[in-house]
Amino acid sequence: MSSHEQALVSLLSQLALSLDGAVLGVALAYAAARSVLKFTATSSALRKIRMAPSLEVSDLRSILPVEDSSSGLSQQSDQMIVVVRGTVEAKSAVDLNWKSFKPNVLVSQESGDKAVIVQRTQTCIYNEWKGFFGWTSDLRAIFARSWREQESTSLRTVPFVLVEGYGWQHSDFVVVNMDGSRHPLPVTTIYHQLQPISASPYTFLQALFGHEYPVGLLDEEKILPLGKDITAVGVLSFKNGIPEIKSCKDLPYFLSDMTKDQMIVDLAFRSKVLLWSCVALGSLSIGVLGYAVVRNWNRWKEWRQQRQLQQPRQAASDDVHSRVAAEEEEMGEIPDGELCVICLMRRRRSAFIPCGHMVCCQRCAISVERESTPKCPVCRQEIRNSLRIYDS
């Protein structure tokens, strides 16, 4: 760890422990609240998937809305969440028009496999060294670590459906609607290669002045091939009698390689981890905040007691001050070396405790004592009170 990183860690630790740990307690409370929200969302998703019926593709049409014979209208039922296990097939294979003679599928550039989703990612990997001006690299190491990789991703999709195995009937399919879905896709990596980048004069200049320079290009291709068995979890609806499944943003899954039982086990494990995280973080935040509140409450009580003790002393000091002022007014001229360093009008009469400096008159010494953090005007040491000095 460099010196800059050590300084940053030290600053963050001091900030977290400030106010007797109150900042750390608030941060732990925020993390506990986030864990509670995640636990609630995960528990809700687990309950929905457990209650969702697990159907085959051929059974989806059995829950089609029946037509009302009296009105001649189709009574649409509410959208429901279902779990469907099927095989990936292009939508052009079930379209009954002239376009079906031309299969609408994607072909991988590297392997030649047919797919409905092709995701290609290129990642440029950078290296960094200090060069002649190494301090610039240290600053970027703290504030700009994300610059070390630059990634570009291209995603191509075609409409596809889920069918029931290889011997599926032409009418048994469900359309997969990918609109608005940001869930992870069950794609398979078919190409993964790291290609080195040859050096250039510009690369030499980058390395000379301590900048990042590219050293390799990672090329990766992932596809969702035809004939792959996947599970779709989402909202089922019917459009013109054709079943269609769409992603639900409240669920962590949409298209997955896992079965319904595996999803339930995974979500149950996440719920337990989040629950114990809520308990641990909540207990720590309550303990740290309670300690901070008690410490600051005791400090406030001590300050209040000191203020109450100083009030009668201030009243007595006012009486003494009036008498001393009368005495000093009757005195003649005062030498410059004995004048008060604050008002420069009266004689030095009070010594501060514990430093012992006698540089102020009685009135100015009382004014210094009444400050929130009283300090000696000469040595700037914190003082407790002052003592009146009488000449023999």
Side-chain angles (χ1 to χ4, degrees):
M1 183 180 294
S2 64
S3 59
H4 297 284
E5 292 177 346
Q6 291 177 357
L8 181 62
V9 171
S10 176
L11 178 62
L12 293 177
S13 62
Q14 291 178 3
L15 179 62
L17 297 177
S18 59
L19 297 177
D20 293 324
V23 177
L24 179 60
V26 172
L28 290 174
Y30 175 75
R34 290 291 301 271
S35 299
V36 170
L37 294 177
K38 290 182 180 180
F39 170 74
T40 304
T42 305
S43 300
S44 176
L46 176 60
R47 183 172 60 256
K48 289 180 180 180
I49 292 180
R50 277 179 175 171
M51 296 176 61
S54 181
L55 302 174
E56 299 291 338
V57 177
S58 58
D59 297 333
L60 293 177
R61 296 185 181 274
S62 62
I63 57 176
L64 278 170
V66 296
E67 184 175 320
D68 191 356
S69 58
S70 60
S71 60
L73 299 176
S74 176
Q75 305 204 353
Q76 299 290 336
S77 60
D78 295 336
Q79 294 180 340
M80 58 183 303
I81 296 178
V82 297
V83 181
V84 182
R85 183 79 178 178
T87 304
V88 177
E89 185 61 54
K91 191 174 183 296
S92 59
V94 298
D95 289 336
L96 298 177
N97 50 31
W98 62 272
K99 293 182 180 180
S100 61
F101 296 101
K102 183 179 179 181
N104 186 15
V105 295
L106 302 174
V107 180
S108 171
Q109 298 180 2
E110 304 298 334
S111 64
D113 296 338
K114 295 182 179 180
V116 293
I117 297 177
V118 176
Q119 179 180 352
R120 193 174 185 89
T121 304
Q122 289 184 342
T123 305
C124 188
I125 302 176
Y126 287 82
N127 193 9
E128 179 183 13
W129 74 305
K130 294 186 178 182
F132 290 108
F133 306 97
W135 57 271
T136 58
S137 300
D138 291 336
L139 291 178
R140 283 197 306 276
I142 296 176
F143 297 105
R145 288 190 179 275
S146 60
W147 292 357
R148 294 188 178 182
E149 291 185 359
Q150 294 183 0
E151 181 178 287
S152 61
T153 302
S154 61
L155 182 67
R156 294 185 300 159
T157 62
V158 295
F160 65 98
V161 298
L162 296 182
V163 298
E164 194 169 342
Y166 292 98
W168 57 282
Q169 298 182 4
H170 195 77
S171 60
D172 293 338
F173 65 91
V174 55
V175 179
V176 179
N177 189 348
M178 296 286 296
D179 295 339
S181 174
R182 294 186 178 181
H183 295 79
L185 299 173
V187 291
T188 304
T189 302
I190 60 171
Y191 181 74
H192 185 89
Q193 184 176 3
L194 179 62
Q195 300 176 356
I197 297 179
S198 57
S200 63
Y202 178 69
T203 304
F204 173 75
L205 291 177
Q206 286 180 318
L208 180 64
F209 290 97
H211 292 282
E212 298 170 343
Y213 58 93
V215 295
L217 181 65
L218 180 62
D219 196 0
E220 190 175 25
E221 187 178 24
K222 298 179 181 180
I223 65 171
L224 180 59
L226 297 178
K228 183 177 181 179
D229 293 335
I230 61 173
T231 302
V233 184
V235 179
L236 179 67
S237 60
F238 293 92
K239 293 185 178 180
N240 300 324
I242 299 176
E244 180 182 271
I245 191 166
K246 189 176 182 180
S247 65
C248 179
K249 62 180 181 180
D250 296 333
L251 299 179
Y253 308 107
F254 176 40
L255 302 177
S256 176
D257 294 325
M258 296 187 295
T259 62
K260 178 182 177 180
D261 295 336
Q262 292 174 341
M263 292 180 186
I264 291 175
V265 171
D266 183 48
L267 288 177
F269 176 74
R270 291 189 194 178
S271 299
K272 290 182 180 179
V273 172
L274 290 173
L275 176 61
W276 287 109
S277 299
C278 296
V279 173
L281 292 174
S283 302
L284 285 175
S285 63
I286 291 174
V288 173
L289 287 175
Y291 172 78
V293 168
V294 171
R295 288 275 297 178
N296 287 281
W297 174 260
N298 291 334
R299 287 182 178 179
W300 181 80
K301 287 173 63 178
E302 292 177 0
W303 175 81
R304 186 177 179 182
Q305 290 175 359
Q306 290 179 358
R307 295 291 295 180
Q308 291 176 354
L309 293 175
Q310 288 177 358
Q311 289 178 357
R313 187 185 303 170
Q314 290 175 0
S317 299
D318 292 339
D319 297 337
V320 174
H321 169 69
S322 59
R323 189 179 73 250
V324 170
E327 292 177 357
E328 290 182 349
E329 288 177 357
E330 296 177 356
M331 298 178 64
E333 294 183 358
I334 304 173
D336 293 339
E338 297 181 5
L339 286 175
C340 174
V341 297
I342 296 180
C343 65
L344 299 176
M345 295 174 59
R346 290 176 291 274
R347 190 182 300 273
R348 302 177 183 181
R349 293 293 186 185
S350 296
F352 293 113
I353 298 175
C355 65
H357 287 120
M358 190 177 71
V359 292
C360 296
C361 63
Q362 184 70 13
R363 180 183 298 179
C364 294
I366 293 173
S367 300
V368 173
E369 284 186 37
R370 291 178 180 178
E371 295 179 358
S372 59
T373 56
K375 293 182 179 180
C376 175
V378 176
C379 64
R380 307 304 299 169
Q381 183 179 354
E382 188 173 352
I383 62 176
R384 294 194 296 267
N385 53 14
S386 62
L387 180 64
R388 174 72 164 84
I389 304 299
Y390 293 95
D391 295 333
S392 57

